[in-house]
Amino acid sequence: MSRPPRYSASTARTAWAVFRKELTDALRDRRTLLTVFLSSVAMGPLVLVLISTLVSSIEQRAEAREILTVGLDQAPTLRNYLLRQTYTLAEAPPDYEQRLRDSKLGDPVLVVPAGFEADLARGEAPVVEVVSASSNQRARSGEARLSRLLNGFNMEVGTLRLAVRGVSPQALQAIEVQERDLASPASRAAQFTAMLPFFVLMAVLYGALSAALDTTAGERERGSLEPLLMNPASRLALVVGKWGAVAAVAMLIAVLSSFSFLPGQWLLRSETLAAMFQYGPYEAFAFLALLLPLAGALSALLMVIAIRSKTFKEAQANATVVLLVVSMLPMMSLFAQDGEKPWHLWVPALAQSTLMNRVLRGEPIGAADLLLPAVASLVLAAVCLAWLARQFNRAAVR
């Protein structure tokens, strides 16, 4: 009677051999290497530079303290008030409305009517316009500042009118309101850096995509998958070896992406953002702990999508569904106005995005928070690998 095969030892050796072969082929591919570099090493500094440039431009416009006006010469009282607030007044261009619509003008325009002073002297309320365009984000950001200035002018004029009539201005002020911001500096910085987890997730996904499609649909199209399946090796070993190589590429991108933000902080142009944005080794390792299980799960899922395709191009088309779902899941937190839900931590990609945003806000993350998305990712990966092994075992790949 023949001795039964040693499945554990042979399976491990076969899986290791397939893993080395697939990983070597993946790293020899210039397209894969370029994807690894652009989506991980360069992504962190590039995103931080873009964010800091945006914040710096906002700060520069705030420091310029310039107001664009139309007809302000007919309102010396208002003009005097604005100058006393240390603002610089400039005449708006004649085509300011069209330039606001086209987002070529970055500040709202204050339009003062011709009879402003006469109405003000009679005790009437002249109508002034703050002209902007809701599609122009730069101009919209200056509306609140201009509205506060006009409210200050209202209060000053009203106070003087009451004083002339011998009425104390305090009689109209029933309460005194003081604002208190409970957000930490890290939470305020997270308002600008909330897009970082999305970019990291997509970098890991695109890194796994190229390797997953090449090792399945690509090999089938080249005719090298069928000879591999003719070997008397365990189908599970083949699947695990191929998956290990794809997951290794995705995990490499996860490592490089998480740590690329550390030197990327040196490129921040905004001193305010640099002071608020706290990203150190703890945050990098927290990102990594969240991304590694997800990288393995996405690699297995993409291989399942690709193995059912007969050509590389068809696999790319089918994989767009995964890309769309993964890119849409983090947006669910934007629509959840009542905060995070417990089930968010059970959904791969959504859980990682939620917890990475917590890390950026400086909120503590417990072991259970890390365990739930890791378990969900491992279960997804196990199910996908079992399905792949079953497909290989049935010789369904032709």
Side-chain angles (χ1 to χ4, degrees):
M1 188 174 66
S2 61
R3 184 176 60 182
R6 300 169 59 188
Y7 289 106
S8 60
S10 62
T11 300
R13 286 195 299 267
T14 304
W16 176 249
V18 174
F19 168 77
R20 288 187 301 172
K21 180 259 183 189
E22 295 290 344
L23 185 60
T24 302
D25 291 344
L27 295 180
R28 283 176 181 171
D29 187 2
R30 292 184 178 180
R31 181 178 57 186
T32 302
L33 291 178
L34 183 62
T35 301
V36 170
F37 177 79
L38 292 180
S39 63
S40 56
V41 178
M43 186 272 298
L46 177 61
V47 172
L48 288 179
V49 166
L50 293 177
I51 294 176
S52 65
T53 301
L54 172 64
V55 177
S56 179
S57 64
I58 294 175
E59 292 176 342
Q60 288 177 0
R61 290 202 306 270
E63 292 175 358
R65 299 178 69 83
E66 183 180 66
I67 299 177
L68 298 179
T69 66
V70 172
L72 190 60
D73 292 337
Q74 305 172 79
T77 305
L78 179 58
R79 180 184 181 86
N80 176 268
Y81 173 81
L82 295 176
L83 290 175
R84 283 188 283 114
Q85 308 306 312
T86 69
Y87 276 85
T88 302
L89 305 178
E91 189 71 18
D95 59 340
Y96 68 90
E97 292 187 359
Q98 186 61 42
R99 295 183 65 177
L100 283 172
R101 294 192 192 99
D102 297 339
S103 299
K104 295 181 179 180
L105 194 63
D107 294 296
V109 177
L110 175 63
V111 180
V112 182
F116 180 90
E117 286 295 328
D119 291 342
L120 198 66
R122 289 194 299 267
E124 300 177 359
V127 178
V128 298
E129 293 182 327
V130 177
V131 182
S132 182
S134 59
S135 59
N136 189 338
Q137 295 299 322
R138 290 192 304 160
R140 287 296 300 273
S141 63
E143 285 185 30
R145 177 195 62 182
L146 193 51
S147 296
R148 288 194 299 269
L149 279 173
L150 295 176
N151 287 334
F153 177 75
N154 272 335
M155 293 183 61
E156 181 177 281
V157 173
T159 300
L160 292 175
R161 288 176 177 175
L162 291 175
V164 169
R165 291 166 173 79
V167 179
S168 173
Q170 298 296 327
L172 298 180
Q173 188 172 357
I175 60 173
E176 181 178 354
V177 180
Q178 293 184 351
E179 296 182 357
R180 184 158 58 102
D181 189 359
L182 298 177
S184 64
S187 297
R188 292 194 294 271
Q191 297 177 0
F192 298 99
T193 58
M195 64 183 71
L196 296 185
F198 174 79
F199 281 104
V200 174
L201 286 175
M202 298 309 294
V204 173
L205 179 59
Y206 276 102
L209 175 66
S210 178
L213 268 57
D214 185 72
T215 194
T216 50
E219 286 198 9
R220 169 187 281 182
E221 194 173 30
R222 293 190 298 268
S224 59
L225 187 59
E226 285 79 1
L228 180 63
L229 293 176
M230 294 175 63
N231 293 324
S234 168
R235 297 297 183 258
L236 180 61
L238 297 179
V239 169
V240 170
K242 285 178 170 292
W243 168 77
V246 177
V249 174
M251 290 179 182
L252 174 62
I253 292 179
V255 172
L256 296 177
S257 299
S258 299
F259 285 93
S260 65
F261 295 116
L262 294 175
Q265 296 178 91
W266 304 337
L267 303 176
L268 290 177
R269 299 176 55 185
S270 169
E271 296 182 359
T272 303
L273 183 60
M276 293 191 300
F277 182 56
Q278 302 298 325
Y279 190 91
Y282 168 79
E283 287 75 16
F285 280 108
F287 269 40
L288 197 58
L290 294 167
L291 291 171
L292 290 182
L294 180 66
L298 291 177
S299 301
L301 180 60
L302 289 170
M303 290 178 66
V304 167
I305 298 295
I307 203 62
R308 301 176 70 250
S309 307
K310 296 186 179 299
T311 63
F312 190 88
K313 188 174 183 180
E314 182 184 351
Q316 284 182 317
N318 293 334
T320 55
V321 178
V322 179
L323 299 177
L324 179 62
V325 171
V326 173
S327 62
M328 292 294 292
L329 281 174
M331 296 182 63
M332 293 184 64
S333 58
L334 299 178
F335 299 102
Q337 298 296 324
D338 51 350
E340 301 173 6
K341 301 293 185 181
W343 60 268
H344 286 184
L345 299 185
W346 286 103
V347 182
L350 176 58
Q352 281 74 17
S353 175
T354 300
L355 293 177
M356 283 190 288
N357 276 306
R358 281 196 205 173
V359 171
L360 292 177
R361 293 194 299 266
E363 300 177 4
I365 295 180
D369 296 330
L370 295 174
L371 184 62
L372 292 181
V375 169
S377 298
L378 292 177
V379 169
L380 176 60
V383 171
C384 291
L385 293 178
W387 188 89
L388 283 169
R390 190 176 180 182
Q391 290 295 103
F392 279 19
N393 195 45
R394 288 180 175 180
V397 182
R398 294 188 175 91

